[in-house]
């Protein structure tokens, strides 16, 4: 599926599944460093990795946030193919990363089976829009093969949900009762209309914060699933929020990421484009002190570069 077809599917269904979108060779270095973040399957299931207790009993305990202990994994979050996909879906050349997580799940660690829901409540202060230029996109990226036995997300096409109101947001299985105004019993046909996102390593599932989806249970014996969750918005879309990168910008992980990232990748986390009025001799001198290993030549005015 090319990007044009992917964008059409995303607009029609609210999601698109792209099996093996990232080639294996573009994941090799990141996968090699997964142990910097998470136990291996054997390390978790045998209890030989001292970190294994962290993952017991909480489906969200397996989340590490960007920037990661592995710079290779941080760079995968802004892989050129990922950025091209985000730009094509959002119909915007200037896109910003507003959330990034790496996530490990292990069979038997906890209950990963979720109710159908939308993510918009913690992705925007408003409600989802289908208007071009006013949309956000989330992506799941598989770092290992994720068959149905390893808990791929399930999604429901907008064809079945377009008329549903913004509230309630969690739609429980038939027979279950909601406890607040954001939860309610679902129409049984919604669960029957689910599509599995199972796929090989490198698969990308792009979906809107307004798309109904859910996590599913891991059943493979001694199974482990490693993935990423990425969030993009147009640069000018100020109501799409999740994290602020400045809060982590003094960490060693951030400095390592910045030193290895391209100008395009750095633009997605808030660096002004080359030629922006922000880039002056004063700010360039300061940036050279803050990021000693960053090549600042792309941001230097042509006249200053010539003098150097």
């Amino acid at each position: 599926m090319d990007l044009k077809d992917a964008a059409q599917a995303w607009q029609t269904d609210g999601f698109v599944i792209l099996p093996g979108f990232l080639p294996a060779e573009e994941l090799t270095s990141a996968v090699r460093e997964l142990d910097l973040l998470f136990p291996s399957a054997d390390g978790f299931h045998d209890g030989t990795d001292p970190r294994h207790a962290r993952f017991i009993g909480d489906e969200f305990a397996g989340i590490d946030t960007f920037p990661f202990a592995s710079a290779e994994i941080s760079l995968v979050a802004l892989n050129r193919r990922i950025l091209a996909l985000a730009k094509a879906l959002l119909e915007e050349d200037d896109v910003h990363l507003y959330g990034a997580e790496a996530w490990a799940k292990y069979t038997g660690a906890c209950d990963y089976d979720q109710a159908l829901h939308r993510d918009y409540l913690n992705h925007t202060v408003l409600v989802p829009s289908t208007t071009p230029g006013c949309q956000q996109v989330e992506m799941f990226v598989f770092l290992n093969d994720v068959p149905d036995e390893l808990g791929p997300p399930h999604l429901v096409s907008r064809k079945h949900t377009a008329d549903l109101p913004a509230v309630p947001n969690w739609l429980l299985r038939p027979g279950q009762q909601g406890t607040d105004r954001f939860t309610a019993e679902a129409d049984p046909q919604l669960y029957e209309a689910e599509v599995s996102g199972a796929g090989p390593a490198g698969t990308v599932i792009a979906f809107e914060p307004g798309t109904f989806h859910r996590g599913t249970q891991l059943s493979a014996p001694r199974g482990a699933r490693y993935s990423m969750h990425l969030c993009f918005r147009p640069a000018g879309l100020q109501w799409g929020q999740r994290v602020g990168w400045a809060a982590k910008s003094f960490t060693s992980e951030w400095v390592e990421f910045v030193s290895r990232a391209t100008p395009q990748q750095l633009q997605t986390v808030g660096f002004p484009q080359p030629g922006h009025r922000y880039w002056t001799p004063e700010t360039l001198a300061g940036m050279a002190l803050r990021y000693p290993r960053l090549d600042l030549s792309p941001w230097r005015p042509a006249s200053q570069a010539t003098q150097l």
Side-chain angles (χ1 to χ4, degrees), residues 191-275:
Y191 279 85
E192 295 171 4
E194 290 181 341
V195 174
S196 171
T203 292
V204 175
I205 302 169
F207 62 105
E208 295 180 295
T211 296
F212 277 97
H213 66 287
R214 68 183 185 92
T216 65
Q217 196 67 277
L218 279 72
S219 60
R222 298 174 63 84
R225 194 198 93 177
Y226 304 102
S227 63
M228 304 183 77
H229 176 215
L230 311 175
C231 313
F232 295 93
R233 60 172 176 81
L237 193 150
Q238 296 303 311
W239 55 86
Q241 307 164 3
R242 194 163 171 85
V243 296
W245 301 126
K248 294 188 175 184
S249 66
F250 56 87
T251 64
S252 60
E253 293 85 358
W254 176 269
V255 173
E256 179 66 17
F257 159 72
V258 167
S259 71
R260 297 179 56 185
T262 66
Q264 183 185 42
Q265 290 173 320
L266 293 174
Q267 184 177 325
T268 69
V269 294
F271 278 47
Q273 299 181 43

Side-chain angles (χ1 to χ4, degrees), residues 117-128 138 166-170 180-183 209-210 239 241-242:
H117 64 280
R118 296 167 287 200
D119 282 350
Y120 82 87
L121 288 179
N122 61 1
H123 282 253
T124 176
V125 295
L126 306 179
V127 296
E138 301 179 62
V167 177
N169 186 63
W170 282 273
D180 58 39
R181 70 188 184 93
F182 288 106
T183 59
W239 55 86
Q241 307 164 3
R242 194 163 171 85

Side-chain angles (χ1 to χ4, degrees), residues 1-273:
M1 185 180 294
D2 63 23
L3 294 181
K4 182 177 180 181
D5 291 338
Q8 181 60 55
W10 185 72
Q11 291 290 353
T12 300
D13 293 316
F15 68 89
V16 60
I17 301 170
L18 301 170
F21 183 72
L22 296 184
E25 60 269 19
E26 296 182 18
L27 292 175
T28 301
S29 297
V31 171
R32 191 181 296 129
E33 295 189 356
L34 276 170
D35 63 342
L36 295 176
L37 279 69
F38 307 121
S40 65
D42 289 343
F44 173 81
H45 291 291
D46 294 336
T48 55
D49 190 307
R51 299 172 293 182
H52 80 282
R54 157 190 163 186
F55 303 88
I56 305 297
D58 181 351
E59 65 174 309
F60 302 112
I63 292 176
D64 276 12
T65 56
F66 182 93
F68 308 114
S70 162
E72 293 290 346
I73 297 176
S74 293
L75 292 169
V76 167
L78 295 170
N79 177 282
R80 61 185 178 85
R81 301 178 196 274
I82 294 288
L83 294 184
L85 178 61
K87 292 176 181 181
L89 300 184
L90 295 175
E91 301 180 44
E92 174 65 56
D93 284 335
D94 190 3
V95 298
H96 278 201
L97 181 76
Y98 71 90
E101 301 165 339
W103 199 346
K105 295 184 177 183
Y106 301 94
T107 304
C110 63
D111 185 2
Y112 295 110
D113 198 54
Q114 297 177 329
L116 284 171
H117 64 280
R118 296 167 287 200
D119 282 350
Y120 82 87
L121 288 179
N122 61 1
H123 282 253
T124 176
V125 295
L126 306 179
V127 296
S129 170
T130 57
T131 301
C134 297
Q135 295 175 286
Q136 300 161 240
V137 62
E138 301 179 62
M139 299 183 193
F140 291 129
V141 181
F142 295 163
L143 300 179
N144 65 325
D145 294 344
V146 182
D148 285 318
E149 296 76 21
L150 285 181
H154 286 187
L155 306 100
V156 180
S157 170
R158 185 188 288 127
K159 298 172 186 175
H160 304 284
T161 63
D163 295 332
L164 294 178
V167 177
N169 186 63
W170 282 273
L171 299 182
L172 310 179
R173 287 176 177 79
Q176 296 179 321
Q177 299 298 315
T179 57
D180 58 39
R181 70 188 184 93
F182 288 106
T183 59
E185 181 178 353
D187 182 329
Q189 294 182 348
L190 285 184
Y191 279 85
E192 295 171 4
E194 290 181 341
V195 174
S196 171
T203 292
V204 175
I205 302 169
F207 62 105
E208 295 180 295
T211 296
F212 277 97
H213 66 287
R214 68 183 185 92
T216 65
Q217 196 67 277
L218 279 72
S219 60
R222 298 174 63 84
R225 194 198 93 177
Y226 304 102
S227 63
M228 304 183 77
H229 176 215
L230 311 175
C231 313
F232 295 93
R233 60 172 176 81
L237 193 150
Q238 296 303 311
W239 55 86
Q241 307 164 3
R242 194 163 171 85
V243 296
W245 301 126
K248 294 188 175 184
S249 66
F250 56 87
T251 64
S252 60
E253 293 85 358
W254 176 269
V255 173
E256 179 66 17
F257 159 72
V258 167
S259 71
R260 297 179 56 185
T262 66
Q264 183 185 42
Q265 290 173 320
L266 293 174
Q267 184 177 325
T268 69
V269 294
F271 278 47
Q273 299 181 43

